[in-house]
Amino acid sequence: GELLLFSSVIVLFQVVYGCPDKCRCHSSTNFVDCSQQGLAEIPSHLPRQTRTLHLQDNQIHHLPAFAFRSVPWLTALNLSNNSLSDLAPGAFHGLQHLQVLNLTQNSLISLESRLFHSLPQLRELDLSSNNISHLPTSLGETWENLTTLAVQQNQLQQLDRALLESMPSVRLLFLKDNLWKCNCHLLGLKLWLEKFIYKGGITDSVICGSPDTWKGKDLLRIPHELYQPCPLAAPDPESSQPQRPGSTHGVVLRPPENHNSGERDLLECELKPKPRPANLRHAIATVIITGVVCGIVCLMMLAAAIYGCTYAAITAQYHGGPLAQTNDPGKVEEKERLDSSPA
């Protein structure tokens, strides 16, 4: 009986504190290292008290739902340098205490908004060096605790401002080495980054990949005045008519009038430089210079008028004296009488 009891205790101990094959477990620190073991899936029977789990440098392709149900107390998870391309929406379900998640150097293309719903305590999320071309507008509820987000070296062209605004505590943001398309849709990111940096946030850079006008330019160095507003979708005059066969949600689908209309719409949304952007300081300077020039011209004209009048008056006074004396007949007769009278 004692032998049976002892065997049961050993089995129970192995179940609770056992370490999976190809893993190294450190019970004192609740750290499990399963890296560089050629694993194709998450090991089973991980110690329940595990706080830190390393699974980097393996060959894991897929994370099923509830993949980490056996380690609910996990706070740090490293899945970098695997072949992850498919993450089930509930892959991280149950990790209420997870704070650090590393998914770098995988093959992720996109992320579903439900993927991170169950990670309310997440502080650091590293998605760098993947093939992500799109991030959802929101990755769940407001992430009050997230302080670091890394998405560099992906295929991103746009980043919705609403996603960044759902992370009020973020202080480190890494965005470089993407395919940023610096058109009207990226203006929201530019405005958010300016405010983020003003408040003390740290970021690397957003270098434009297109259009050619801004290729290689830093997004933050492009003046606001050079952004054209995004064109609003014109209301369809036939949208109020009854739904016809082949239409969707009451909107009649019509073929485009011109096969180049789609390209034209895209060009309208491109970031185009204006030849002379409006600038208040330049306008004020132009008004001042124009006023000074006009004033100088008016003074010169006034001086010329005064000079002409003065010259005319002097000339008239000089020539008018002798003529007046010659033309006065009374004075001439009086002079003759005086001259003919006896001395």
Side-chain angles (χ1 to χ4, degrees), residues 266-297:
L266 291 177
L267 291 176
E268 290 178 355
C269 192
E270 293 292 337
L271 180 59
K272 299 179 181 179
K274 297 179 181 179
R276 291 185 179 180
N279 192 306
L280 182 59
R281 289 180 296 180
H282 291 173
I284 294 176
T286 302
V287 172
I288 294 176
I289 293 174
T290 304
V292 171
V293 172
C294 291
I296 293 174
V297 172

Side-chain angles (χ1 to χ4, degrees), residues 97 230 259:
H97 306 282
C230 291
H259 66 279

Side-chain angles (χ1 to χ4, degrees), residues 129-175:
S129 301
N130 280 277
N131 295 316
I132 300 173
S133 60
H134 173 72
L135 288 176
T137 303
S138 174
L139 295 178
E141 299 179 357
T142 303
W143 287 4
E144 298 288 348
N145 299 307
L146 191 70
T147 60
T148 303
L149 175 64
V151 292
Q152 70 266 31
Q153 297 181 2
N154 278 283
Q155 305 294 318
L156 293 172
Q157 294 186 4
Q158 300 177 10
L159 185 58
D160 200 294
R161 183 175 181 175
L163 174 63
L164 297 172
E165 290 178 345
S166 66
M167 309 171 186
S169 301
V170 69
R171 290 296 174 266
L172 296 175
L173 183 62
F174 302 102
L175 302 169

Side-chain angles (χ1 to χ4, degrees), residues 183-195:
N183 58 13
C184 58
H185 296 291
L186 215 61
L187 178 59
L189 174 61
K190 172 182 171 64
L191 298 175
W192 186 91
L193 285 175
E194 291 177 348
K195 183 178 180 181

Side-chain angles (χ1 to χ4, degrees), residues 10 14 33 39 44 55 67 106-107 183 186 195 221 233 282 285 299-300 313 316:
I10 293 177
Q14 290 178 345
D33 186 3
L39 299 174
S44 58
L55 289 166
N106 280 283
S107 302
N183 58 13
L186 215 61
K195 183 178 180 181
R221 296 184 179 274
H282 291 173
L299 290 176
M300 292 176 64

Side-chain angles (χ1 to χ4, degrees), residues 91-106:
F92 303 112
H93 188 78
L95 298 181
Q96 298 290 326
H97 306 282
L98 190 67
Q99 299 180 7
V100 179
L101 178 58
N102 190 338
L103 292 169
T104 65
Q105 297 181 348
N106 280 283

